[in-house]
Amino acid sequence: MNIAVIPARGGSKRIPRKNIKPFAGKPMIAYAIEAARSSGVCDTVVVSTDDDEIARIARGYGAELPFTRPPELADDHTPTVPVIAHAIETLRGLGWELDKVACIYPGVPLIDAGDIAGALDVLEAGGGAGYAFPVAEFPSAIQRALRREDTGRSAPYQPEHALTRTQDLEPAFYDAGQFYWAHADTWLAGGTIHLDAHTVVLPEWRVVDIDTPEDWDRAELAFDALRQRGADASR
C-alpha cells in the first residue's frame, strides 16, 4: 500500500508547539493530514511523533499512530530520512506491506491534495530518480544575488553576471518544503533526496516556510487570500 508519514515532533523551539498551534481555526497538523487523506493516493496517514498531545490531535483528524517516535529521532538535529526510515521499518515489523511512502511535513497549511497525487504520478512515471517532490522558482535571479558587507556596501556573489540581463539567466528553484514521495526501499537506503529526484513546480505564492512568528503571520495572510479567492470563484 501507499501511505503518508507526517513527522511531527513536540519540541519546536522558534514557534513553541508549532505543529498543533491553531492556524485559521485548526491545529496546524490538520492541514497535512486532511490533504493526504483527500489526495486519493494515500491508503492511510501515519503520524510519527514523540508527543502525546500531538498524537491525540492527529488521531482526531483521522491519522494512525501505531508507534511512538524514540527520543533519539526527535531532537533538533535529526534529518528527515532517518525518521521516515524508522517509520517504515517499524510498520513493516508490524506486518504492514508498504510500496510507496510520502513524507509530508506538518507545517504546510497551503498544501494541495492534487499536488500530492501529481507528484506520485511523476515518481511512477519512472526516469530513474528515487524521489519526487515540489519546488518553486526563486522570485529573483540567484546569479544576481548581493552580499552586504559590515560597512553596508554591497558586492555581487557572481561578478561575472553583474551586467547580465535577468531574462538571460537560467531560472533557479528551491525545495517547497511540503512533501517527498519515494518507494519504501528508497527511504531505507538512506540516500540524499535532492541528489536523486524529479520535481514538480508550484507557484511561488503557494509556498510558505514557517520558522518564525513573522513567517506565521505571512502564511495566515496567504491562506486568507487563497480562501477568499476560492470563495469569489464559487459565486
Side-chain angles (χ1 to χ4, degrees):
M1 63 174 148
N2 299 336
I3 70 167
V5 176
I6 300 175
R9 67 187 185 90
S12 176
K13 299 293 193 300
R14 287 176 289 188
I15 303 177
R17 310 301 288 166
K18 178 176 80 170
N19 292 330
I20 52 173
K21 181 179 177 179
F23 183 99
K26 296 179 184 178
M28 175 61 83
I29 196 173
Y31 296 96
I33 296 171
E34 291 177 341
R37 295 185 69 199
S38 63
S39 68
V41 296
C42 298
D43 295 303
T44 192
V45 180
V46 172
V47 170
S48 170
T49 187
D50 60 326
D51 187 279
D52 290 341
E53 186 180 16
I54 292 176
R56 176 180 59 79
I57 290 173
R59 286 192 184 97
Y61 281 91
E64 296 189 37
L65 288 97
F67 61 86
T68 299
R69 194 196 309 185
E72 64 269 20
L73 290 177
D75 61 26
D76 292 336
H77 306 291
T78 304
T80 295
V81 172
V83 173
I84 305 305
H86 167 266
I88 292 168
E89 290 173 340
T90 303
L91 294 172
R92 282 184 166 174
L94 295 173
W96 291 38
E97 295 184 5
L98 302 179
D99 183 11
K100 302 175 191 71
V101 177
C103 165
I104 302 179
Y105 288 135
V108 288
L110 304 188
I111 193 169
D112 185 273
D115 295 332
I116 298 172
L120 178 59
D121 288 341
V122 170
L123 180 70
E124 291 178 335
Y131 296 88
F133 68 93
V135 297
E137 186 175 345
F138 278 101
S140 299
I142 62 170
Q143 299 91 339
R144 297 284 298 275
L146 302 173
R147 61 166 51 90
R148 189 174 185 273
E149 299 174 352
D150 292 341
T151 61
R153 292 180 63 89
S154 67
Y157 276 96
Q158 297 184 31
E160 66 273 23
H161 290 301
L163 298 178
T164 305
R165 298 186 310 165
T166 300
Q167 59 265 42
D168 294 332
L169 296 171
E170 179 184 359
F173 299 83
Y174 60 94
D175 186 339
Q178 292 187 352
F179 64 87
Y180 311 98
W181 272 110
H183 287 82
D185 289 342
T186 300
W187 288 108
L188 294 177
T192 301
I193 294 173
H194 292 163
L195 296 181
D196 183 21
H198 280 305
T199 58
V200 293
V201 180
L202 304 184
E204 189 270 336
W205 48 265
R206 201 152 53 75
V207 175
V208 293
D209 187 13
I210 306 176
D211 288 323
T212 67
E214 292 77 17
D215 294 336
W216 188 282
D217 292 342
R218 190 179 306 111
E220 286 187 323
L221 289 171
F223 184 90
D224 289 343
L226 286 172
R227 183 162 55 182
Q228 184 60 51
R229 179 182 180 182
D232 292 342
S234 65
R235 290 174 184 168

